Amino acid sequence: MIVDEIKIKVSGGKGGNGIVAFNKNKGEKGPTGGDGGNGGNVHLEGVSNLTALNKFRFKKEFPAGDGVDGKNKLLEGAKGKDIVLKVPIGTVAHNLDTGKNIEIVNVGEKTMIAKGGKRGRGNWHFRSSRNTTPRECEEGIEGQRFNFILELRMIADVGFIGLPSAGKSSLLNALTKAKAKTAAYHFTTLEPNLGDYYGLILADIPGLIEGASSGKGLGIKFLRHIKRTRVLIHCISCESENLVKDYKIIKEELRKYEVAIARKKEYIFLTKTDLVNKKEAKEKMKELKKISPDILAVSIYDKDSLEKVKKLLNGIKDKK
Ligand SMILES: Nc1nc2c(ncn2[C@@H]2O[C@H](COP(=O)(O)OP(=O)(O)OP(=O)(O)O)[C@@H](O)[C@H]2O)c(=O)[nH]1
Ligand SMILES: [Mg+2]
C-alpha cells in the first residue's frame, strides 16, 4: 500500500536560555553568563523510495531538540538537534498554519519546514560602563510549530489510464516486474501500482468511469498521481462496443478534474487484440485513428505487439 497523504506535527526546538553569572576570580570582575544554543530545526529531504510516507502512519509528532542553556565562563549551550524527515520526491508539504506549500522535487533536496527558536543571550552581552554587573539575560525563544499535510504526488513517467478492465494492470505486469492483481471484474486495482521499466516509472492507475470527477466509482482520488506523469497511455479494450465514446468519457473526466491533465502527451492503446480477428482489429484501429495518430494495437499474449510497446517506452525514456 502506498500512503499518499498524512498529517504530521513538527516543531523547532526551543532556544536555550542565556544565564547570569559572574567571574569568581578576585580582581577579574564582570559578567560571564554564556548564551544558550539555538533550537534545532526540522527539515524535509527528498528520497526515491515511494513508500517513504508509510512510516508516518504511526509516529506523527516530530519535535527537534531544544538548545541547551548557557554556562558560566561564557560557555555557549549546545545547539538543539535537527530532525530530517525523509519523504519521497513528489511530496508536497502543505503548511496548515500558514497556508504555504513546499514541494520536494529532487533526491537529496533539503528544505527547512520549522525553524528552531533563537537562543537567549547571557548577561555578558548586557555589560556597559555604567553597569558592570548586569543581572539581565534573555530566555530562549520557542521554536516554530506547524501542522503539515504531506501529500505524495507520485512522479511516475508514464501513467496507464482507462476504464476498468481495460487491461492496464496486465500490461504493467507484462512490461515490468510488478505483480499487480488482475481479474475479469471491474475495479480490481484499488491503489496505483508502480513498475520500473529500465528506470522509467510506469504507474497503473485504478479504473476511471463516467462521473469519476464527481466521485463515482473510485472517484478522482488517484488523478493527482497522474498530475506529475509526463505521458499518459490511454487503454481501450477491443471488447468495447464504442471505442470513441469510451475514449471521450475518460477524456472528459480528466478535463473536468484539470485541463492540464487532459492536455498531456498521450498514446492510445487498443488492448486485448487477441480477442478479435485481424480484420476486426484493423477496423477498430481505423476508428481510433480518427482521434489520434499515436495508437498501438496490443495484446499481452502477442510478443510482437509488446515489442512495439517497448520501443515506444524506450523512446519516451530517451527523451527523459
Ligand atoms: N485475452 C486477453 N485478456 C487480457 C489482456 N489483458 C488483460 N486481459 C484480461 O482482462 C481482464 C482485466 O485485466 P486487468 O489488467 O485487471 O484490467 P485493469 O484495466 O487493470 O482493470 P481495473 O484494475 O479494474 O481497472 C483480466 O481478466 C485480464 O486477464 C489481453 O491482452 N488479452
Ligand atoms: Mg487493474
Side-chain angles (χ1 to χ4, degrees):
M1 187 179 90
I2 299 172
V3 170
D4 55 15
E5 205 174 284
I6 207 108
K7 195 174 159 192
I8 59 165
K9 261 188 185 168
V10 296
S11 51
K14 181 185 167 298
N17 299 326
I19 64 156
V20 172
F22 294 98
N23 204 325
K24 287 177 185 140
N25 296 336
K26 271 189 185 168
E28 287 178 52
K29 284 184 190 158
T32 55
D35 303 342
N38 286 327
N41 307 315
V42 183
H43 302 269
L44 293 182
E45 182 181 342
V47 294
S48 59
N49 174 6
L50 278 162
T51 58
L53 289 187
N54 290 14
K55 63 178 178 290
F56 300 113
R57 272 195 299 160
F58 308 109
K59 189 173 178 218
K60 295 183 183 296
E61 295 197 11
F62 299 93
D66 293 338
V68 174
D69 294 347
K71 291 192 179 62
N72 197 354
K73 296 185 185 165
L74 294 175
L75 284 178
E76 275 180 21
K79 187 181 174 315
K81 233 182 171 188
D82 283 359
I83 288 187
V84 179
L85 303 175
K86 301 202 166 162
V87 299
I89 48 172
T91 297
V92 178
H94 304 275
N95 186 323
L96 298 179
D97 301 297
T98 66
K100 276 192 186 157
N101 294 340
I102 296 163
E103 204 175 325
I104 303 295
V105 180
N106 300 309
V107 171
E109 183 182 335
K110 244 188 189 181
T111 309
M112 196 192 336
I113 56 167
K115 196 170 163 46
K118 215 175 157 222
R119 63 188 183 173
R121 292 179 298 167
N123 67 338
W124 185 78
H125 289 276
F126 299 94
R127 74 197 185 286
S128 68
S129 50
R130 279 201 207 146
N131 185 0
T132 53
T133 56
R135 308 207 63 85
E136 196 179 348
C137 67
E138 291 171 336
E139 279 192 10
I141 293 170
E142 293 289 338
Q144 292 179 318
R145 283 163 195 268
F146 294 127
N147 292 289
F148 273 93
I149 283 187
L150 303 178
E151 180 200 353
L152 173 60
R153 292 190 192 155
M154 204 159 59
I155 307 187
D157 299 292
V158 178
F160 290 122
I161 57 164
L163 290 169
S165 303
K168 303 176 291 294
S169 305
S170 304
L171 209 48
L172 181 80
N173 291 348
L175 294 164
T176 70
K177 286 186 183 142
K179 291 192 176 66
K181 187 176 168 196
T182 65
Y185 55 83
H186 286 5
F187 301 118
T188 307
T189 304
L190 298 173
E191 297 273 347
N193 296 300
L194 296 179
D196 177 9
Y197 176 81
Y198 304 103
L200 197 72
I201 303 295
L202 312 182
D204 159 34
I205 307 295
L208 297 165
I209 55 169
E210 186 165 14
S213 60
S214 51
K216 286 233 174 85
L218 296 175
I220 49 161
K221 196 170 143 216
F222 303 108
L223 283 182
R224 68 163 180 273
H225 290 307
I226 62 174
K227 258 186 174 171
R228 302 289 190 87
T229 56
R230 274 193 297 136
V231 175
L232 295 179
I233 291 181
H234 190 148
C235 299
I236 305 173
S237 168
C238 262
E239 298 155 304
S240 162
E241 312 257 291
N242 192 334
L243 302 163
V244 176
K245 187 175 160 218
D246 282 1
Y247 172 85
K248 285 186 174 161
I249 286 174
I250 299 292
K251 203 70 185 175
E252 187 52 26
E253 295 305 324
L254 294 183
R255 212 185 338 261
K256 278 186 192 157
Y257 178 71
E258 197 173 292
V259 173
I261 289 185
R263 287 199 188 133
K264 273 183 196 290
K265 175 69 194 162
E266 171 192 81
Y267 296 90
I268 300 173
F269 282 7
L270 177 67
T271 59
K272 310 193 199 180
T273 49
D274 59 287
L275 293 178
V276 295
N277 63 39
K278 277 202 170 136
K279 188 171 161 245
E280 211 177 318
K282 240 185 183 169
E283 274 165 17
K284 289 190 183 268
M285 284 294 276
K286 221 171 161 184
E287 217 177 303
L288 285 176
K289 265 190 187 138
K290 286 183 212 154
I291 304 172
S292 156
D294 296 320
I295 59 174
L296 270 185
V298 188
S299 158
I300 56 167
Y301 303 115
D302 175 358
K303 274 198 175 148
D304 288 346
S305 77
L306 289 178
E307 282 310 313
K308 284 183 192 152
V309 174
K310 287 177 183 173
K311 242 189 188 163
L312 178 81
L313 295 178
N314 292 340
I316 296 172
K317 194 154 70 87
D318 290 343
K319 279 190 212 141
K320 206 175 160 180

